[in-house]
Amino acid sequence: MTITMYDLAGAEDARRFSPYCWRIKMAMAHKDLDVETIPWRFTEKDRLPAGTKTVPTLIDGDTVIGDSWEIADYLDRKYPDRPLLQGKSERGLAKFLTAWTESVVHPALTRIVVLDIYKHIAEKDREYFRTSREARVGKTLEAFTADTEANVAAFQKTVHPLRITLRMQDYLGGDAPNYGDYVAFGAFMWARSISPVRLLAADDTIAAWRSRLLAAFDGLAGKALGYPV
Amino acid sequence: MTITMYDLAGAEDARRFSPYCWRIKMAMAHKDLDVETIPWRFTEKDRLPAGTKTVPTLIDGDTVIGDSWEIADYLDRKYPDRPLLQGKSERGLAKFLTAWTESVVHPALTRIVVLDIYKHIAEKDREYFRTSREARVGKTLEAFTADTEANVAAFQKTVHPLRITLRMQDYLGGDAPNYGDYVAFGAFMWARSISPVRLLAADDTIAAWRSRLLAAFDGLAGKALGYPV
């Protein structure tokens, strides 16, 4: 049976920008599993299966899961004979990497891209998006993102631990990518999908890692609609 | 044959404050290996074995290693039948955790404790320490550490990814500590050994994790000379 996944989309069906959804699309490819993605918008809560209210939401036969970490766990449990996303022993540190990505990297990126998100989402999503995000940051999106140069400099500093790590090895997983790589890479796909801002210098070690992941799985991520990086 | 390790000491032989040395003392206990530590001071470069110039330096028979990460790798390779510090698959993410600890946590702690280090080291180390550290930060140690309250608040924010992770699991390694735990814990032992400043609120999840590691291995870390936390 086909596995399906609700995937956050912009105004165009092909513009898929959720960092959490990108984790799972890369994870599915890692496990060599096909997935049919269904474009979904912020204001379509009613279209999601009962009991879930966020994306990615994965539907595999009778199983419905609406959380990226739980989906990754499920995929390894359900399909243990395909390449593992993470062994039991690395799962603990992947939780730390995920906490760092969500509490440090995503907020630093939000300052750069949140207005670009607004510009790329469907008309019907815009009022909800602007109102909820401006309430969260206490400013207009325009004021919050005004100083791109400073925000990019702050972002580049924020990701320095990633840079140090990737000077010593090709992937966060070591010689090959694992779920932690897809978690961190999801943040870069989020930006790439909706923002023309250049986040990294061409000679940044992180940019080389990003290129490897953009090319992985026959260019799954690199061929997606977005801005050149 | 006894394994020995050069271990950074303060004015008293018993005051051992290097975060890097604490990683390895915890790692040796994890592997249930005895180690004889030799107190060593900053200005005693000449006392270290040829080819090494930093501590921890481990001497195991003919093997001499002067880098904590390489020592951890060596211990797992040389003693594979004892509990592993890190499996091959988690080694990649442990590198990230180490990069984060050294590039984010240590600098935030330095702002709090560097003057306390100065006060606790041997008389003969003080001029070297003050001169080299003041050159690095561009201020007197007194000026650099003046606003303890603000520095502690900044530190507590810095370690937030650790806090999120430890709300979901007891250790960075998951159900049990692994090398990543000892790397992060080393930073807290550094502070505890030389500074009376209270870094964490009593109800901080990180404090509970620190308590578990202070108690581990018959209280190896908790019994060491330092300030109550």
Side-chain angles (χ1 to χ4, degrees):
Chain A
M1 199 182 317
T2 313
I3 301 175
T4 56
M5 184 188 116
Y6 286 88
D7 188 10
L8 187 63
E12 309 101 312
D13 275 353
R15 193 175 303 276
R16 308 295 176 90
F17 63 97
S18 160
Y20 305 96
C21 292
W22 272 109
R23 296 175 187 179
I24 298 307
K25 285 179 283 186
M26 296 295 282
M28 295 291 291
H30 179 105
K31 295 195 78 75
D32 200 17
L33 288 167
D34 287 330
V35 60
E36 185 184 310
T37 61
I38 303 166
W40 176 89
R41 272 90 192 181
F42 284 119
T43 48
E44 297 177 339
K45 302 274 183 205
D46 292 349
R47 278 184 64 211
L48 293 176
T52 65
K53 49 188 181 182
T54 53
V55 293
T57 285
L58 191 89
I59 304 167
D60 185 11
D62 293 336
T63 302
V64 177
I65 311 174
D67 174 85
S68 57
W69 181 267
E70 287 177 28
I71 293 171
D73 267 356
Y74 165 80
L75 292 173
D76 273 348
R77 213 166 50 235
K78 173 84 174 182
Y79 303 100
D81 297 335
R82 290 163 178 267
L84 288 178
L85 291 163
Q86 46 187 355
K88 186 175 180 301
S89 67
E90 69 208 275
R91 201 177 164 280
L93 285 171
K95 267 283 187 199
F96 174 79
L97 189 277
T98 304
W100 176 77
T101 301
E102 295 178 5
S103 70
V104 177
V105 182
H106 285 188
L109 269 181
T110 298
R111 288 201 82 96
I112 303 171
V113 306
V114 69
L115 181 60
D116 291 322
I117 299 175
Y118 177 80
K119 291 175 180 169
H120 285 83
I121 56 180
E123 188 64 37
K124 68 174 179 178
D125 276 1
R126 291 193 177 176
E127 188 187 330
Y128 153 78
F129 186 81
R130 183 183 278 277
T131 307
S132 60
R133 269 48 175 187
E134 291 187 347
R136 203 178 286 171
V137 302
K139 289 184 182 179
T140 64
L141 301 185
E142 286 76 4
F144 188 63
T145 57
D147 193 346
T148 299
E149 196 176 334
N151 293 336
V152 168
F155 171 78
Q156 292 188 347
K157 192 171 168 209
T158 285
V159 292
H160 195 59
L162 195 54
R163 185 174 296 120
I164 298 171
T165 310
L166 295 169
R167 281 178 192 151
M168 298 181 287
Q169 56 196 31
D170 280 353
Y171 296 98
L172 288 168
D175 297 334
N178 65 9
Y179 188 62
D181 287 273
Y182 306 139
V183 168
F185 179 66
F188 288 92
M189 284 306 291
W190 180 33
R192 178 186 180 280
S193 305
I194 44 80
S195 175
V197 174
R198 187 169 175 162
L199 297 176
L200 301 168
D203 64 352
D204 192 321
T205 322
I206 302 173
W209 162 83
R210 183 179 55 182
S211 294
R212 286 192 286 277
L213 288 171
L214 284 167
F217 313 126
D218 293 322
L220 169 70
K223 289 174 190 165
L225 181 60
Y227 290 87
V229 289
Chain B
M1 199 183 320
T2 311
I3 302 175
T4 55
M5 182 187 117
Y6 285 89
D7 188 12
L8 187 62
E12 309 100 312
D13 275 352
R15 194 175 302 276
R16 308 295 177 92
F17 64 97
S18 160
Y20 306 96
C21 291
W22 272 108
R23 297 176 186 179
I24 298 306
K25 286 179 281 187
M26 296 295 282
M28 295 290 291
H30 179 104
K31 296 194 78 77
D32 200 18
L33 288 167
D34 287 330
V35 60
E36 185 184 309
T37 61
I38 304 165
W40 177 88
R41 271 90 193 180
F42 285 119
T43 48
E44 297 177 341
K45 302 273 183 204
D46 291 349
R47 279 185 62 212
L48 292 177
T52 65
K53 49 187 181 183
T54 54
V55 293
T57 285
L58 191 90
I59 305 168
D60 185 12
D62 293 336
T63 303
V64 177
I65 311 174
D67 172 86
S68 56
W69 181 268
E70 287 178 27
I71 292 171
D73 267 356
Y74 165 80
L75 293 173
D76 272 347
R77 213 166 50 234
K78 173 84 174 183
Y79 303 101
D81 298 334
R82 291 165 177 266
L84 288 178
L85 291 163
Q86 47 187 355
K88 185 175 180 301
S89 67
E90 70 209 276
R91 200 177 166 280
L93 285 172
K95 267 281 188 201
F96 174 79
L97 190 276
T98 304
W100 175 78
T101 301
E102 295 177 6
S103 69
V104 177
V105 181
H106 285 188
L109 268 180
T110 299
R111 287 201 83 95
I112 302 171
V113 307
V114 69
L115 182 60
D116 290 322
I117 299 174
Y118 177 80
K119 292 175 181 170
H120 285 83
I121 56 180
E123 188 65 38
K124 67 175 179 177
D125 277 0
R126 290 193 178 177
E127 188 186 331
Y128 153 78
F129 187 81
R130 182 183 279 278
T131 307
S132 60
R133 269 49 177 186
E134 291 187 346
R136 204 178 288 172
V137 303
K139 290 183 182 179
T140 65
L141 300 187
E142 287 76 3
F144 187 63
T145 57
D147 193 346
T148 298
E149 197 177 333
N151 293 338
V152 168
F155 171 78
Q156 292 188 348
K157 193 174 167 207
T158 285
V159 291
H160 195 59
L162 196 54
R163 186 174 296 119
I164 298 172
T165 310
L166 295 169
R167 282 179 191 150
M168 298 182 286
Q169 56 196 32
D170 281 354
Y171 297 98
L172 288 168
D175 297 335
N178 65 10
Y179 188 62
D181 286 274
Y182 307 139
V183 168
F185 179 67
F188 288 91
M189 285 305 292
W190 180 33
R192 180 187 179 279
S193 305
I194 45 79
S195 175
V197 174
R198 186 169 176 162
L199 297 176
L200 300 169
D203 64 351
D204 192 321
T205 321
I206 302 172
W209 162 83
R210 182 179 57 183
S211 294
R212 285 191 287 277
L213 289 171
L214 284 166
F217 313 125
D218 293 323
L220 169 70
K223 289 174 189 165
L225 182 60
Y227 290 87
V229 290

